[in-house]
Amino acid sequence: MSRYFTQDHEWIQVDGDTATVGITTYAQSQLGDIVFVETPEAGKTVAKGDDAAVVESVKAASDVYAPASGTVVEGNPALADNPALVNEDPEGEGWFFKLTLSNAAEVEALMDEAAYKDFVDSL
């Protein structure tokens, strides 16, 4: 499995042609306490860069963009009852959705963990 990052602070972990998407630790720390998360429905087709989910905190509401194109296979049902999971474990149990990639090459253009760390350090 490989994990990649976007400049919009989403992460995507790829396992074969399936990927799991969430927001980074940096993103959740900037948002503050998460109070609501809307995840996409299974079967929704997204293109790279499309709005795919919504996250609301005590500070702001933000869109979560699809880091790659594909078809959503599952939204994280645990976030409906416990949106704070994003604060507690943003890069683990607080994932937003899973999708089947339609163009795996799009992922290769994203940042790896070291490049993302350098990006965040430059902010």
Side-chain angles (χ1 to χ4, degrees), residues 54-122:
V54 175
V55 58
E56 292 183 22
S57 71
V58 294
K59 292 182 179 178
S62 299
D63 291 323
V64 176
Y65 303 106
S69 302
T71 302
V72 174
V73 292
E74 178 182 15
N76 186 349
L79 296 181
D81 294 331
N82 186 11
L85 266 177
V86 178
N87 291 117
E88 296 164 9
D89 192 12
E91 298 187 26
E93 294 301 311
W95 58 273
F96 279 59
F97 60 94
K98 296 182 180 188
L99 73 160
T100 302
L101 297 172
S102 61
N103 183 0
E106 291 176 339
V107 176
E108 298 297 326
L110 301 175
M111 293 180 278
D112 64 14
E113 190 165 354
Y116 180 71
K117 182 182 181 313
D118 289 345
F119 172 71
V120 169
D121 288 346
S122 72

Side-chain angles (χ1 to χ4, degrees), residues 20-88:
T20 304
V21 177
I23 64 170
T24 65
T25 299
Y26 175 83
Q28 73 80 28
S29 71
Q30 295 297 304
L31 287 166
D33 293 335
I34 306 296
V35 295
F36 176 77
V37 174
E38 180 181 311
T39 59
E41 297 286 326
K44 179 179 180 177
T45 301
V46 295
K48 181 178 181 177
D50 282 356
D51 301 348
V54 175
V55 58
E56 292 183 22
S57 71
V58 294
K59 292 182 179 178
S62 299
D63 291 323
V64 176
Y65 303 106
S69 302
T71 302
V72 174
V73 292
E74 178 182 15
N76 186 349
L79 296 181
D81 294 331
N82 186 11
L85 266 177
V86 178
N87 291 117
E88 296 164 9

